[in-house]
Amino acid sequence: MIAEAERILLSEEEIQAKVKELGAEISSYYGDKPILALGILKGAIVFMSDLIRQITCPLEIDFMAVSSYGSSTESSGVVRILKDLDCSIEGKNVLIIEDIIDSGLTLNYLVENLKSRGPASVKIVTLLNKPSRRKVNIQADFNGFTIPDEFVVGYGLDFAERYRNLPYICVLKPEAYQK
Ligand code: PRP
Ligand code: MN
Ligand code: MG
C-alpha cells in the first residue's frame, strides 16, 4: 500500500471478482446485441479495459472526456465536454462505463446529451456508487460497489491526476489532499 493511503477499501482481488460478475450480468442482459461501450475519460479507462474483456457480446468502443472536478476533491457542478464521440450513436445500444457516480452531475448531463442523438438505448455501468452524495436522481443499470462518503483513489480514480495506476482502491489520508 502507498504511504499516502489510510487504508485499502477494495483489494485487487475484490475488484477483479466484481468485474467478472458485472461482465457476466451485462453479457446476459444484451445477449447477441452489439454494444457501443462508451468509456468516460479519464477515470473509467482501467475499469473499462478489464470489463470489456469479460463481456461476450459483439462490442465496439469509443470515448468521451468530460470533467467536472478539475484538481479539487469536490465537483464544481460544471460539466465540460473535452472530447466528443468519434462516430454517430444513432440506433446503437450505448453502454456508458464510469468508475464512480458521486453527485451524479456528470452522468445526468451525459445521458441527456446522448439521448438527444437517437441511440437505440443508453445504459450505465459504474464500478463505484456513492449514493449519499447524490445531487440529481440518477442510477446506474449495473452497479459494482456502494461505498461510503470518503475520498478514494486508485484503479482509474485520481486526486490531482495521481494514483490512477494503483491496482486497488484506497482511502487517502486527509494530509494527502489538504496540503
Ligand atoms: C470523476 C469520476 C466521474 C465523476 C463522478 O471524474 O471519474 O466521471 O467525477 O462525479 P459526479 O457524479 O459528482 O459527477 P472527473 O471529473 O474527476 O474526471 P476524470 O475522470 O478525468 O478524473
Ligand atoms: Mn471521470
Ligand atoms: Mg478525477
Side-chain angles (χ1 to χ4, degrees):
M1 182 172 82
I2 52 165
E4 303 96 299
E6 194 167 87
R7 64 178 206 282
I8 291 185
L9 185 67
L10 297 164
S11 69
E12 184 170 2
E13 293 71 27
E14 287 173 290
I15 295 169
Q16 293 306 329
K18 185 63 81 176
V19 170
K20 278 198 176 151
E21 264 176 47
L22 287 170
E25 202 185 326
I26 290 164
S27 302
S28 83
Y29 176 80
Y30 287 99
D32 294 332
K33 282 192 210 154
I35 302 173
L36 176 70
L38 171 53
I40 309 306
L41 297 171
K42 304 172 190 170
I45 65 147
V46 181
F47 174 46
M48 180 178 190
S49 75
D50 284 343
L51 180 67
I52 59 174
R53 284 177 282 177
Q54 300 297 330
I55 296 178
T56 53
C57 320
L59 179 150
E60 326 170 35
I61 65 172
D62 203 345
F63 297 94
M64 280 178 84
V66 295
S67 200
S68 63
Y69 274 63
S71 58
S72 155
T73 60
E74 289 276 325
S75 176
S76 64
V78 181
V79 179
R80 290 185 300 147
I81 293 191
L82 307 176
K83 181 222 171 288
D84 208 339
L85 291 162
D86 290 341
C87 297
S88 164
I89 55 168
E90 210 178 321
K92 292 190 176 172
N93 294 299
V94 178
L95 176 64
I96 302 174
I97 303 181
E98 261 292 27
D99 50 335
I100 185 166
I101 309 180
D102 195 328
S103 71
L105 292 167
T106 303
L107 271 179
N108 192 50
Y109 170 83
L110 261 178
V111 167
E112 291 314 307
N113 181 295
L114 291 169
K115 280 187 176 163
S116 73
R117 306 185 196 194
S121 66
V122 178
K123 299 279 174 195
I124 300 166
V125 55
T126 188
L127 181 66
L128 306 177
N129 183 24
K130 258 190 200 175
S132 59
R133 299 253 309 171
R134 215 58 115 249
K135 289 185 183 151
V136 285
N137 182 26
I138 189 152
Q139 282 175 39
D141 302 278
F142 307 97
N143 266 291
F145 302 95
T146 295
I147 61 164
D149 185 9
E150 288 176 294
F151 196 76
V152 292
V153 298
Y155 200 69
L157 292 109
D158 71 305
F159 169 60
E161 299 301 328
R162 289 186 57 198
Y163 311 113
R164 297 194 198 271
N165 55 317
L166 302 177
Y168 50 83
I169 293 171
C170 61
V171 178
L172 279 186
K173 289 177 184 159
E175 307 93 87
Y177 54 87
Q178 282 166 358
K179 266 184 254 180

